[in-house]
């Protein structure tokens, strides 16, 4: 496959932040606060464009729209009974499942004076994923898979089976393009979980918003769709090899002292937001 020539990927320096090791003390709310922190530092040109990898065990990441479901309290209780932590994220989209076999990538870029168009952010992430798996397939498409969970126009699929979804977060002159990649595991069970969540939460009673009627048959994992066993580490290697071809320089580093100082304010903001959204349930 011919290499994608995407200008947002071609940076003089890329920084990689690795949060892919599952740690129970580091939850998804902290991940979203980390991306906000990076939006500030990258958007303020205090840090180079950054690619962050993150993994969380048994977490359901809800969109704000999900919190409007008529029986959301019952739906959350069901998810918690199934052993999942429930959080409300600050980027777009609807409910998604995170677990040890789902790799999340955040691509944080500085917004330019006239702004990075939303489509360009999505296209950059799409280009990265296509290049990562160019040796295995040329059949990765970006289009809405209607009956998937969290459907969107930049769902990534192979043979009409979705394995990834992309969202964006914009703040502090930075843009975070976030993707979840279903690397392995039981995608049928994940889909059934979200389908049941919507049924219990009364999605058909809510007429102001549209929620998906999840069909497990339209979703899959990269391991299934490519016909080869993959794990998080194998995909991370592909991430680093690919982004290195676009970077003048590739560095790997944790959050710096200034970012660690700024992180608590963003974390507290997200905690309060979750409490506000869920307080009346």
């Amino acid at each position: 496959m011919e290499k994608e020539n995407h200008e947002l990927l071609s940076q003089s320096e890329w920084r990689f932040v690795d949060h892919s090791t599952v740690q129970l003390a580091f939850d998804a709310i902290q991940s979203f606060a980390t991306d906000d922190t990076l939006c500030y530092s990258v958007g303020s040109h205090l840090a180079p464009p950054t690619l962050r990898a993150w993994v969380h065990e048994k977490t359901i990441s809800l969109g704000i729209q999900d919190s409007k479901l008529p029986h959301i309290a019952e739906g959350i209780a069901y998810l918690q009974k199934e052993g999942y932590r429930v959080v409300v994220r600050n980027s777009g989209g609807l409910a998604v499942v995170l677990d040890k076999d789902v790799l999340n990538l955040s691509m944080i870029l500085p917004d330019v004076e006239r702004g990075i168009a939303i489509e360009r952010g999505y296209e950059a992430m799409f280009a990265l994923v296509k290049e990562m798996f160019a040796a295995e397939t040329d059949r990765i498409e970006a289009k809405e898979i209607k009956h998937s969970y969290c459907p969107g126009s930049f769902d990534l699929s192979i043979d009409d089976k979705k394995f990834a979804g992309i969202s964006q977060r914009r703040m502090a002159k930075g843009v975070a393009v976030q993707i979840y990649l279903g690397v392995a595991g039981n995608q049928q069970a994940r889909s059934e979980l979200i389908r049941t969540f919507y049924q219990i939460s009364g999605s058909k009673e809510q007429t102001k918003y549209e929620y998906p009627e999840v069909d497990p048959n339209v979703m899959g994992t990269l391991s299934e769709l490519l016909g080869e066993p993959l794990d998080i580490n194998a995909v991370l290697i592909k991430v680093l090899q690919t982004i290195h071809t676009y970077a003048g320089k590739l560095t790997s580093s944790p959050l710096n002292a200034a970012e660690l100082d700024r992180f608590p304010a963003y974390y507290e903001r997200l905690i309060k937001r979750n409490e506000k959204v869920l307080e009346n349930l």
Side-chain angles (χ1 to χ4, degrees):
M1 179 188 288
E2 184 179 347
K3 180 175 173 178
E4 293 284 334
N5 182 21
H6 201 288
E7 70 277 13
L8 293 184
L9 293 177
S10 299
Q11 301 286 337
S12 60
E13 181 180 355
W14 273 105
R15 171 197 187 190
F16 179 66
V17 177
D18 187 6
H19 289 153
S20 63
T21 301
V22 174
Q23 298 181 32
L24 297 180
F26 186 74
D27 65 19
I29 293 179
Q30 288 168 290
S31 259
F32 299 131
T34 298
D35 279 1
D36 281 1
T37 303
L38 291 170
C39 274
Y40 176 84
S41 59
V42 173
S44 301
H45 301 285
L46 301 174
T50 298
L51 192 66
R52 187 173 77 92
W54 44 288
V55 177
H56 294 290
E57 178 63 295
K58 296 201 75 170
T59 299
I60 304 299
S61 176
L62 299 179
I64 291 293
Q65 188 173 313
D66 290 313
S67 68
K68 311 299 184 185
L69 285 158
H71 307 298
I72 183 64
E74 290 91 333
I76 289 176
Y78 160 72
L79 295 173
Q80 291 172 336
K81 183 180 178 183
E82 294 296 311
Y84 286 81
R85 175 173 179 149
V86 179
V87 302
V88 181
R89 67 180 179 275
N90 54 5
S91 56
L94 295 170
V96 298
V97 182
L98 308 180
D99 61 40
K100 64 181 179 61
D101 293 310
V102 175
L103 176 63
N104 303 276
L105 296 175
S106 297
M107 181 188 294
I108 297 96
L109 296 157
D111 206 352
V112 293
E113 202 167 303
R114 289 180 295 172
I116 293 176
I118 290 175
E119 292 281 304
R120 288 178 66 219
Y122 286 130
E123 288 164 358
M125 186 64 84
F126 177 35
L128 175 66
V129 174
K130 280 199 296 183
E131 181 68 19
M132 283 165 53
F133 296 100
E136 288 81 10
T137 183
D138 61 358
R139 304 192 316 278
I140 297 177
E141 295 183 278
K143 62 182 181 181
E144 182 174 345
I145 303 298
K146 186 174 181 182
H147 294 292
S148 63
Y149 56 72
C150 195
S153 57
F154 271 84
D155 295 336
L156 301 192
S157 61
I158 296 173
D159 300 333
D160 293 327
K161 289 201 170 186
K162 175 177 172 177
F163 64 86
I166 311 175
S167 64
Q168 282 192 51
R169 166 77 169 155
R170 290 164 174 257
M171 64 155 291
K173 298 182 181 180
V175 179
V177 185
Q178 300 162 328
I179 188 170
Y180 76 83
L181 294 161
V183 175
N186 191 335
Q187 191 59 56
Q188 289 282 123
R190 295 183 189 120
S191 302
E192 293 282 2
L193 183 78
I194 299 300
R195 179 167 70 175
T196 302
F197 161 72
Y198 280 124
Q199 290 171 344
I200 291 172
S201 300
S203 60
K204 291 185 178 179
E205 299 174 33
Q206 169 62 277
T207 56
K208 186 177 180 180
Y209 303 104
E210 184 176 350
Y211 300 93
E213 294 185 24
V214 179
D215 178 1
N217 295 311
V218 303
M219 300 190 72
T221 66
L222 280 163
S223 292
E224 295 166 350
L225 298 173
L226 296 176
E228 63 177 89
L230 290 169
D231 59 20
I232 297 296
N233 285 335
V235 177
L236 273 179
I237 290 171
K238 289 180 176 290
V239 172
L240 292 171
Q241 289 174 334
T242 304
I243 203 66
H244 188 264
T245 68
Y246 286 100
K249 180 170 72 170
L250 177 63
T251 59
S252 179
S253 66
L255 298 194
N256 60 39
E259 289 166 337
L260 290 172
D261 284 343
R262 185 165 289 274
F263 169 83
Y266 289 122
Y267 180 57
E268 184 63 27
R269 182 187 299 176
L270 272 162
I271 289 289
K272 289 180 178 178
R273 179 173 183 168
N274 269 256
E275 289 174 346
K276 183 177 182 180
V277 169
L278 303 176
E279 66 184 356
N280 296 320
L281 304 183

